[in-house]
Amino acid sequence: LVLVEGFRQEKVPKIVLSRQGSGKDAYTLVDKYVIAIASDETADHSVTLPWLDINNHEQVADFIMCWVSEQP
């Protein structure tokens, strides 16, 4: 498991990180490789991806560990 910042264009599983006021819409960063969105914004219930609280480090870490454990 390698965690890196960037690599938006790479075809690897990723979590979109988005903060209010960043000027970027998290949804524009979603592609078929995105496994979750971590944000400080209110969850958009029209999005079917897991929505994580970017400020809740335990929640993000638990999601990653669970996701990794489910991989073949």
Side-chain angles (χ1 to χ4, degrees):
L1 174 65
V2 177
L3 300 177
V4 295
E5 183 179 359
F7 291 87
R8 277 183 280 220
Q9 307 306 326
E10 295 301 314
K11 297 176 181 176
V12 296
K14 57 191 108 178
I15 298 174
V16 168
L17 305 177
S18 175
R19 289 204 179 269
Q20 284 182 335
S22 69
K24 294 184 181 179
D25 183 359
Y27 312 111
T28 63
L29 303 174
V30 173
D31 62 25
K32 69 181 185 177
Y33 301 100
V34 172
I35 60 171
I37 297 173
S39 179
D40 59 355
E41 299 179 82
T42 305
D44 181 338
H45 298 290
S46 67
V47 176
T48 58
L49 292 165
W51 195 279
L52 310 171
D53 179 350
I54 198 168
N55 295 313
N56 185 336
H57 304 126
E58 286 184 20
Q59 180 193 38
V60 175
D62 288 345
F63 174 83
I64 292 169
M65 294 304 295
C66 183
W67 184 86
V68 167
S69 71
E70 294 173 351
Q71 300 312 299

